[in-house]
Amino acid sequence: MQTHELSELLASNEYPGRGIALGLDETGKNAVIVYFIMGRSVNSRNRVFVEKDGGIITKAFDESKMVDPSLVIYAPVRLMGDATIVTNGDQTDTIYDFMTAGKTFEEALRTRTFEPDPPILTPRVSGIVAKDGSYKLSILKSDCGNADSAQRFFYEYPQPVKGVGHFIHTYAGNGDPVPSFEGEPERVTLKGDIDALTDAVWNGLNEANKVSLFVRFINLETGKADTRIINKLEG
């Protein structure tokens, strides 16, 4: 599988939508989480990330402009003990509830499907990072826009590699309707410290469509988390 520079991969895609990249930094000492959201509508762009209980929630920047919160307001990142859950929707809570009850990441997502936003049928992308830095990714999507056929894919990375991550996102590019992501998560480089990676990802995202970015480094020895958040509307 080809390895891409994450920022270059983003720069080549006008509209990847919402995306998750998980992996290890170049030192191998930190688990890395990257999560971003983009938007084309006023409703989607009217959002910011806000820290809450060690994770983040999305919040309307201007409450008077919020039309329908159902698919845009949720908790993308939640802590569950030593693990960190990151998703592009309210399936974060499904994963949290199932795993708290002793069930698995996969069991939780088998109860969910793509988003109810025809004709797009936006995929649900999800990830989880364990205490040791191992991680999983998933995408729940339709079969080429067929609302009667849900597909669920799971990817497990028990032995992550220094400076390398895997990136999954909702859309293959811009369009009307926007095409869903296809294939396996993309193998990407995770270069530099947290500030360098944050700057590279933010600058790689399309200026017109980017909304918010969350980057976290978790020290595998101490469990200490270092976080960066950029909100375009607060910039």
Side-chain angles (χ1 to χ4, degrees), residues 8 11-12 18 31 62 72 83 92 94-95 97-98 101 106-108 122 139 144 151 163 167 181 194 202 217 232:
E8 293 178 1
S12 68
R18 286 165 280 172
D62 183 343
V72 295
T92 307
T94 305
I95 296 167
D97 292 343
F98 268 65
E106 292 83 1
E107 285 178 299
T122 297
I139 184 168
C144 298
Q151 300 180 336
F167 174 46
F181 178 89
I194 189 169
W202 186 248
F217 277 34
K232 185 176 182 181

Side-chain angles (χ1 to χ4, degrees), residues 32-51:
V32 176
I33 300 172
V34 176
Y35 178 67
F36 63 82
I37 59 175
M38 305 181 81
R40 300 190 301 179
S41 68
V42 172
N43 200 45
S44 292
R45 291 178 176 179
N46 179 36
R47 290 183 289 172
V48 292
F49 286 163
V50 177
E51 292 191 79

Side-chain angles (χ1 to χ4, degrees), residues 22-212:
L22 305 178
L24 292 183
D25 75 335
E26 290 180 303
T27 70
K29 296 179 179 179
N30 298 286
V32 176
I33 300 172
V34 176
Y35 178 67
F36 63 82
I37 59 175
M38 305 181 81
R40 300 190 301 179
S41 68
V42 172
N43 200 45
S44 292
R45 291 178 176 179
N46 179 36
R47 290 183 289 172
V48 292
F49 286 163
V50 177
E51 292 191 79
K52 181 179 180 180
D53 300 329
I56 57 171
I57 58 172
T58 59
K59 186 177 183 297
F61 181 73
D62 183 343
E63 296 286 353
S64 68
K65 293 181 179 179
M66 180 54 63
V67 178
D68 177 9
S70 62
L71 294 176
V72 295
I73 302 300
Y74 53 92
V77 179
R78 289 189 69 176
L79 300 184
M80 196 209 67
D82 294 324
T84 305
I85 304 165
V86 54
T87 88
N88 73 325
D90 63 11
Q91 72 268 27
T92 307
D93 299 330
T94 305
I95 296 167
Y96 180 91
D97 292 343
F98 268 65
M99 295 189 71
T100 300
K103 298 181 181 180
T104 67
F105 176 78
E106 292 83 1
E107 285 178 299
L109 290 171
R110 288 187 183 112
T111 70
R112 303 300 304 268
T113 185
F114 45 80
E115 293 184 354
D117 61 342
I120 298 173
L121 304 178
T122 297
R124 291 188 186 272
V125 291
S126 308
I128 188 166
V129 180
K131 181 180 180 181
D132 63 359
S134 61
Y135 55 96
K136 297 179 180 182
L137 287 166
S138 170
I139 184 168
L140 315 179
K141 61 192 299 293
S142 70
D143 181 9
C144 298
N146 181 353
D148 296 322
S149 181
Q151 300 180 336
R152 299 181 177 91
F153 301 91
F154 300 94
Y155 305 91
E156 191 169 4
Y157 305 93
Q159 296 175 312
V161 177
K162 289 181 183 180
V164 172
H166 290 86
F167 174 46
I168 197 163
H169 45 98
T170 53
Y171 305 130
N174 216 339
D176 187 19
V178 283
S180 292
F181 178 89
E182 295 286 348
E184 294 184 18
E186 295 159 308
R187 193 175 193 269
V188 294
T189 56
L190 300 173
K191 292 185 176 180
D193 62 15
I194 189 169
D195 290 314
L197 182 61
T198 300
D199 288 345
V201 172
W202 186 248
N203 291 332
L205 291 168
N206 180 268
E207 182 62 31
N209 296 319
K210 63 186 179 184
V211 174
S212 295

